[in-house]
Amino acid sequence: MKVRIFADAARASRAVARLVARQLEVQPASVLGLPTGRTSVAVYKELVRIGPDFSRARTFNLDEFVGLPAQNRRSFHAFMDRHLLCRVNIPAGHVHFLDGAADDLDAECARFERAIAAAGGMDLVVLGIGANGHIGFNEPGTTLFARTHRARLTAATRRANAGLFAGRPSKVPREALSMGMGTILAARAIVLIATGRSKARAITAMFSGRITPSLPASFLQLHPDTTLVLDRAASRGL
Ligand code: GLP
């Protein structure tokens, strides 16, 4: 695992945006896996500023809340439109989301896996991390789903996502659809960004050498091309 530590969150975000821009330069038809969350906002802002050519890129978002249609402004789909997709030249047909409002959620997860495979797999997946070590919506537990699945959100994760729901954790859906750790680990390259003190514990635990479902991020140790981009606060336990 490569680790790059920056003085602050702005510099770390810029570094991740540059990595994505470079990926698109080298391979314009890249398939990207993309996250949501507060950390990603600064990355997308910088990416929009750099302005790489997205005309041949394809994107797959990691996860989506169950019950929210794409048009709902609290959905991750709407989040991505606001922060990135409506601001770059990506064709609408190149953008892929899980539909949290699908009638048959299991069929929706299977469709998404097939779509990723049909695109040739992901070249680069960008990840954030939850304070409890979750990736996408792969929550800590005794087992992890390998592939895209329906996930129950922990109280901590619902609290962490309350920002999209007027600060009210009780309004955050109890379930989500998420790529599995196997889906993510099948990407050719992974970049994880973590900024701020609240992420330091999970980042330190990733380096304990143990791979355990109680810390989903620890599975990234199994991947041959993972880069961790941290600010000083998130790296303080290393
Ligand atoms: C959500 C997303 C994750 C993301 C996490 C961190 O739970 N499903 O993909 O990594 O938030 O969010 P933040 O960057 O706001 O701390």
Side-chain angles (χ1 to χ4, degrees), residues 3 122 128 186 221:
V3 184
M122 295 184 287
Q221 295 177 52

Side-chain angles (χ1 to χ4, degrees), residues 29-32 58 60 115-124 183 186-188:
S30 290
V31 179
L32 304 175
R58 279 163 296 167
F60 287 85
I116 295 172
M122 295 184 287
D123 295 300
L124 173 68
T183 319
R188 285 178 270 282

Side-chain angles (χ1 to χ4, degrees), residues 34-41 61-65 76 79 126-132 134-139 153 156-158 160-161 164 176-178 192-195 198-199:
L34 296 176
T36 53
R38 282 178 299 260
T39 314
S40 67
V41 172
N61 256 81
L62 288 173
D63 46 15
E64 182 59 281
F65 292 114
F76 282 166
F79 173 100
V126 181
L127 301 174
I129 184 171
N132 64 1
H134 77 246
I135 297 288
F137 276 133
N138 292 279
E139 293 276 42
L153 304 184
T157 295
R158 291 176 71 217
N161 279 275
L164 281 170
L177 304 181
S178 178
L192 182 145
I193 175 166
T195 58
S198 65
K199 306 291 170 72

Side-chain angles (χ1 to χ4, degrees), residues 9-166:
R11 287 184 173 85
S13 310
R14 220 171 291 145
V16 173
R18 277 199 300 264
L19 279 173
V20 176
R22 179 131 45 89
Q23 170 72 33
L24 291 171
E25 241 170 69
V26 173
Q27 197 184 334
S30 290
V31 179
L32 304 175
L34 296 176
T36 53
R38 282 178 299 260
T39 314
S40 67
V41 172
V43 175
Y44 294 146
K45 195 167 172 202
E46 186 60 19
L47 197 51
V48 169
R49 198 193 62 75
I50 300 173
D53 180 15
F54 272 84
S55 63
R56 295 176 60 201
R58 279 163 296 167
T59 65
F60 287 85
N61 256 81
L62 288 173
D63 46 15
E64 182 59 281
F65 292 114
V66 163
L68 298 191
Q71 314 81 279
N72 187 306
R73 68 191 163 89
R74 292 174 166 150
S75 70
F76 282 166
H77 193 143
F79 173 100
M80 289 303 295
D81 283 348
R82 268 196 308 278
H83 293 290
L84 181 71
L85 300 172
C86 290
R87 296 164 181 255
V88 295
N89 65 335
I90 191 162
H94 289 202
V95 162
H96 300 268
F97 282 90
L98 281 154
D99 178 3
D103 288 334
D104 183 340
L105 294 172
D106 292 330
E108 174 59 8
C109 292
R111 178 199 67 79
F112 199 65
E113 282 285 333
R114 281 196 305 274
I116 295 172
M122 295 184 287
D123 295 300
L124 173 68
V125 58
V126 181
L127 301 174
I129 184 171
N132 64 1
H134 77 246
I135 297 288
F137 276 133
N138 292 279
E139 293 276 42
T142 46
T143 56
L144 290 177
F145 283 90
R147 294 292 166 183
T148 302
H149 60 283
R150 197 169 169 167
R152 239 192 133 64
L153 304 184
T154 60
T157 295
R158 291 176 71 217
R159 276 198 301 279
N161 279 275
L164 281 170
F165 297 83

